Each structure stands twice: as C-alpha cells, then as structure tokens.
Amino acid sequence: MTKKVLTKFMRVAFAASVGLPLIFAPNAFAQLPAPAVPANPAAPAPQAEVERVIVTGSNIPTAEETGPNPVDTYRPQDNREAGYP
C-alpha cells in the first residue's frame, strides 16, 4: 500500500517538474522588441560616445607560473605490447 502511494507521488512530482516549466516557457522572449521609429525622421540621430581602452598587461600565465609539463612518447612497439593494433 505504501509503495503504491509513493509511486503515485513520484509520478505526480515528475509530471509537475516537467509540466510547470513548459507552462511558463511561452512567456520567455529571445529578443527585445524593435525600437520605436522617431516621429520626426528629419531629426538627427543621437550620437553614441566611445571611450578608448588601453590594455597594459596580459593574464596569460608564463612558464614560471605554470611549471614544466611532462611529455609522454609512445613507440609502435609500446602500443603493440599494450595490446593496441
């Protein structure tokens, strides 16, 4: 009896967890609506301001920071001994 109730509860919980997101999914928008067209097309368009950015460094790690990396070499003989064709 308890197993039937638990199984029914699991089915309802699963259906709710799958069904509820599908109900709210149509409300999601992938893009913003198009901007409104100005009433006076002869008016000058607003200008965007641009700021110059100067990069003075890098976040790429150097050899001193990463340390040596070991290199493995495999010969055809090693592959045959390991059972690879």
Side-chain angles (χ1 to χ4, degrees):
M1 178 76 172
T2 306
K3 187 175 181 181
K4 282 186 175 182
V5 172
L6 184 60
T7 304
K8 187 174 182 179
F9 175 75
M10 296 283 287
R11 287 182 183 172
V12 170
F14 178 73
S17 67
V18 171
L20 285 177
L22 293 176
I23 292 172
F24 295 110
N27 295 333
F29 297 103
Q31 298 176 346
L32 297 175
V37 178
N40 185 2
Q47 296 292 326
E49 295 183 23
V50 178
E51 183 178 341
R52 183 176 292 267
V53 177
I54 300 172
V55 178
T56 60
S58 168
N59 197 19
I60 300 173
T62 61
E64 293 87 23
E65 295 170 355
T66 59
N69 293 327
V71 176
D72 291 333
T73 56
Y74 297 101
R75 301 174 298 173
Q77 178 183 353
D78 298 330
N79 290 336
R80 282 192 297 275
E81 291 174 0
Y84 298 116

